[in-house]
Structure formats: structure tokens, C-alpha cells
């Protein structure tokens, strides 16, 4: 065996569906969010680990995201990170609206509201 024979490519992990112990409405939202891609990596936000929490109550969804910050000294990197975050949020809101949810809230990893869409009562207007 040659020197490079010791370095094997890791096997690709098969895509798993949502955990079986999750309520059906949460599993449904997780599957819908698999269509949202990180524009930098091309991976969906579920498999990439950006989605770390989800609450579904009727037509209301709260999405909790782990959005890494770039180097504070690099203003260009911060600009890219902000644009990527905006794109991900826009895509999340778009797919959940199409799925029929009337109220969507997105939070970051420390629980701060990033963006929301819809009316307080969940009707999202007429």
C-alpha cells in the first residue's frame, strides 16, 4: 500500500429524513426546508446544520438558525455573510409561505428575532 493509501475519502453520509420521534407537522416543515440552499455551499440548510430548532403551531412557524459570523476585522467578509443570511431568510420565508403558513419568525442562535412575516393573529392579511 502506498503512502496515499492511508488517506481514504470518507464515505458520504446518506441523507436521513427527519427524526421519527418528531411530530408530523415538524417533519413536514423540515422536509420543506431541505429545499432552501446555502448559496455559498449549495447544501440545504438542514443537512448543513444551519437549522437547529423549529416550532410549529397551526399556521405559525418559528425557525431557529445557527448562522456563523465571519471575521470581525474583515468588512468584506461581513458583507458577504450578511448577504448570504438575507438570501437564506428570503428563501425560508418563500417556501414556507408557499406551503401555506401564515406566520413565520426566524431567530438566530441566541434567540434574537432576525425577521418575521405575517400578522400577529397568523392571518397574513387578506
Amino acid at each position: 500500500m502506498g503512502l496515499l493509501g492511508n488517506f481514504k475519502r470518507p464515505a458520504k453520509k446518506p441523507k436521513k429524513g427527519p427524526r421519527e420521534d418528531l411530530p408530523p407537522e415538524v417533519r413536514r416543515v423540515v422536509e420543506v426546508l431541505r429545499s432552501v440552499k446555502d448559496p455559498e455551499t449549495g447544501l440545504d440548510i438542514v443537512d448543513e446544520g444551519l437549522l437547529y430548532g423549529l416550532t410549529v403551531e397551526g399556521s405559525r412557524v418559528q425557525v431557529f438558525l445557527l448562522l456563523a459570523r465571519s471575521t470581525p476585522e474583515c468588512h468584506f467578509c461581513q458583507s458577504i455573510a450578511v448577504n448570504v443570511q438575507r438570501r437564506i431568510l428570503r428563501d425560508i420565508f418563500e417556501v414556507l409561505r408557499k406551503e401555506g403558513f401564515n406566520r413565520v419568525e426566524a431567530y438566530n442562535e441566541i434567540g434574537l428575532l432576525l425577521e418575521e412575516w405575517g400578522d400577529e393573529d397568523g392571518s397574513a392579511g387578506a
Side-chain angles (χ1 to χ4, degrees):
M1 179 185 307
L3 175 64
L4 297 178
N6 292 330
F7 300 103
K8 295 182 181 177
R9 287 187 175 166
K12 287 188 176 183
K13 293 181 183 178
K15 284 191 176 184
K16 297 185 285 185
R19 294 185 352 217
E20 293 299 318
D21 61 334
L22 295 174
E25 63 274 10
V26 173
R27 278 187 280 166
R28 175 179 152 234
V29 172
V30 169
E31 285 305 313
V32 168
L33 291 177
R34 284 187 186 281
S35 67
V36 176
K37 306 289 185 199
D38 180 334
E40 285 189 311
T41 65
L43 297 172
D44 71 76
I45 64 170
V46 175
D47 289 337
E48 192 172 23
L50 299 181
L51 176 70
Y52 80 90
L54 192 60
T55 302
V56 181
E57 296 173 344
S59 64
R60 179 180 179 205
V61 178
Q62 294 176 317
V63 179
F64 297 88
L65 302 167
L66 181 61
L67 300 170
R69 303 291 188 265
S70 62
T71 308
E73 294 82 24
C74 177
H75 298 293
F76 181 69
C77 295
Q78 287 179 334
S79 175
I80 291 172
V82 166
N83 286 326
V84 167
Q85 177 178 310
R86 284 184 186 151
R87 171 76 182 270
I88 290 170
L89 288 172
R90 184 196 74 199
D91 291 350
I92 288 171
F93 283 84
E94 184 178 310
V95 299
L96 292 177
R97 276 185 269 193
K98 284 181 183 176
E99 198 63 26
F101 291 98
N102 295 328
R103 175 93 179 142
V104 181
E105 301 167 0
Y107 295 88
N108 69 6
E109 60 275 4
I110 60 172
L112 295 175
L113 182 65
L114 297 170
E115 195 169 333
E116 60 186 330
W117 173 83
D119 295 335
E120 285 299 319
D121 63 0
S123 66

